[in-house]
């Protein structure tokens, strides 16, 4: 690892916005992706791994270890339809790209996470872009992981709006609520949730999509067709004409946390079946208690842990990064 770079572990389910996020990270000169673990979610784990291999090859960054992880949820999860209408059956907008030469190694996701935790003790940064199954298993098997982790950024959840995969549940969390609760309550000290509250406002507009279509650079040439497919339904919950790129914003926040703002709130995940299964529950009373002063606080139920919950986005800053990524 080059001196001065921040070591970043990326956990991904290999869909279109995941691939955009990984490409943006590969372009950075201040972070180094030291490993990529792959999880079920947008597509099957093996399909997701193939997409990550394709991205690394197209970018010219094939030395990064890839490890296969969970193929099913860590715990009970609601039944949801496949995300093929968003990402395509192949996870890249049904573009049917040739199989990559870059394949996962022999290490499992947990083994790779364990090795990276030991190699970067106290400085490892984690970015999750899919269901949290791999991290939940790693927390069970690698007791040192929390202490080895400097920060964790999770793309997932929603605090003050509707869900996308469940009425009030975001897809990454709802695909494995038990795993998400395991991660939320693990004790990470610098933890940020980047959910739909910000990814549905930090969006591509027609200008960003037009820039991608110009195919000025390798990123645009590789991602143009997948993003064209993703755009059809990806913006269903946004202002008309805009479309999120959820994982891209989360990747940016992992490197540039100033792109979002929000309070640190007690956070939990609803793990029991019912109307709110897979919801992220933030105790939004906390700022009011803080303002009122000593004596106003009521009990917080068990199962909550403090997380920074992103609620507002520097939209102009996000779009400037998007434009730069695609040669603008």
């Amino acid at each position: 690892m080059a001196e001065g770079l921040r070591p970043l572990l990326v956990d991904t389910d290999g869909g279109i916005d995941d691939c955009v996020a990984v490409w943006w990270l590969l372009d950075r000169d201040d972070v180094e992706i030291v490993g990529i673990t792959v999880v079920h979610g947008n597509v099957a784990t093996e399909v997701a791994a193939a997409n990550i291999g394709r991205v690394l090859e197209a970018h010219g960054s094939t030395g990064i270890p890839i490890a296969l992880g969970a193929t099913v949820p860590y715990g009970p999860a609601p039944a949801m339809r496949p995300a093929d209408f968003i990402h395509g059956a192949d996870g890249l907008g049904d573009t049917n790209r040739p199989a990559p030469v870059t394949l996962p190694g022999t290490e499992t996701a947990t083994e790779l996470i364990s090795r990276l935790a030991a190699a970067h003790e106290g400085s490892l940064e984690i970015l999750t872009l899919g269901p949290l199954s791999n991290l939940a298993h790693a927390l069970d098997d690698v007791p040192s992981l929390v202490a080895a982790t400097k920060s964790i950024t999770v793309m997932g959840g929603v605090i003050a709006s509707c869900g996308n995969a469940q009425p009030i549940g975001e897809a990454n969390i709802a695909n494995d609520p038990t795993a998400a609760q395991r991660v939320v309550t693990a004790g990470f000290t610098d933890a940020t949730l980047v959910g739909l509250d910000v990814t549905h406002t930090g969006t591509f507009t027609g200008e960003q999509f037009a820039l991608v279509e110009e195919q000025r650079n390798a990123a645009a040439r590789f991602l143009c067709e997948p993003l064209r497919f993703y755009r059809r339904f990806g913006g269903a919950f946004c202002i008309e004409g805009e479309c999120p790129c959820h994982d891209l914003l989360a990747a940016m926040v992992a490197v540039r946390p100033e792109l979002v703002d929000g309070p640190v709130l007690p956070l939990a995940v609803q793990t029991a079946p019912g109307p709110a299964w897979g919801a992220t529950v933030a105790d939004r009373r906390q700022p009011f208690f803080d303002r009122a002063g000593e004596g106003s606080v009521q009990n917080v139920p068990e199962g909550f842990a403090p997380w920074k919950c992103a609620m507002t986005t520097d939209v102009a800053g996000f779009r400037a990064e998007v434009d730069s990524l695609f040669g603008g």
Side-chain angles (χ1 to χ4, degrees):
M1 179 172 171
E3 186 177 353
L5 296 183
R6 296 160 51 183
L8 181 66
L9 165 68
V10 178
D11 187 72
T12 172
D13 57 349
I16 294 170
D17 56 336
D18 301 74
C19 292
V20 181
V22 170
W23 195 296
W24 184 84
L25 290 166
L26 292 170
D27 276 355
R28 299 290 300 185
D29 59 7
D30 53 353
V31 297
E32 180 176 348
I33 300 177
V34 292
I36 300 176
T37 52
V38 185
V39 69
H40 69 96
N42 291 325
V43 288
T45 307
E46 294 79 6
V47 176
N51 287 341
I52 295 304
R54 292 181 177 102
V55 172
L56 297 184
E57 288 177 1
H59 190 273
S61 302
T62 55
I64 299 170
I66 305 171
L68 291 175
T71 59
V72 295
Y74 173 85
M80 295 189 294
R81 65 157 293 178
D84 53 354
F85 69 109
I86 298 290
H87 297 277
D90 65 354
L92 277 176
D94 290 334
T95 52
N96 300 309
R97 304 285 173 85
V101 176
T102 302
L103 300 172
T106 58
E107 287 179 298
T108 66
T110 295
E111 288 168 344
L112 177 57
I113 292 169
S114 178
R115 178 165 65 83
L116 294 174
H120 303 285
E121 185 175 359
S123 64
L124 184 65
E125 300 184 38
I126 297 176
L127 169 66
T128 72
L129 305 175
L132 291 160
S133 316
N134 286 345
L135 264 290
H137 285 295
L139 286 164
D140 289 346
D141 297 341
V142 186
S144 63
L145 181 58
V146 171
T149 301
K150 181 179 180 182
S151 67
I152 180 170
T153 304
V154 169
M155 193 283 118
V158 59
I159 304 303
S161 185
C162 66
N164 56 2
Q166 294 283 285
I168 53 173
E170 179 276 331
N172 287 342
I173 304 299
N175 265 301
D176 198 345
T178 306
Q181 177 67 356
R182 177 75 176 90
V183 173
V184 163
T185 58
F188 293 105
T189 55
D190 183 352
T192 301
L193 188 76
V194 180
L196 303 183
D197 303 280
V198 288
T199 64
H200 280 162
T201 58
T203 56
F204 285 41
T205 68
E207 292 182 5
Q208 280 70 50
F209 283 112
L211 176 61
V212 176
E213 291 287 345
E214 291 181 21
Q215 300 188 38
R216 296 183 184 183
N217 59 16
R221 288 188 290 274
F222 182 83
L223 293 164
C224 179
E225 287 184 83
L227 281 169
R228 193 183 301 151
F229 183 99
Y230 183 83
R231 185 184 186 185
R232 296 186 307 163
F233 298 116
F237 300 99
C238 299
I239 294 172
E240 187 174 357
E242 298 185 9
C243 183
C245 195
H246 308 280
D247 293 338
L248 177 58
L249 179 58
M252 290 182 186
V253 172
V255 180
R256 295 189 55 200
E258 71 277 6
L259 286 174
V260 296
D261 195 18
V264 174
L265 297 173
L267 183 70
V269 178
Q270 175 62 36
T271 59
W277 200 2
T280 42
V281 182
D283 190 347
R284 297 170 66 195
R285 302 173 300 170
Q286 193 61 49
F288 298 98
F289 293 153
D290 292 342
R291 185 179 66 189
E294 186 176 353
S296 69
V297 178
Q298 297 185 32
N299 291 338
V300 175
E302 292 184 4
F304 284 75
W307 279 63
K308 179 179 179 180
C309 297
M311 299 300 293
T312 59
T313 318
D314 176 356
V315 176
F318 169 75
R319 291 176 183 159
E321 288 284 356
V322 173
D323 290 347
S324 178
L325 172 63
F326 293 117

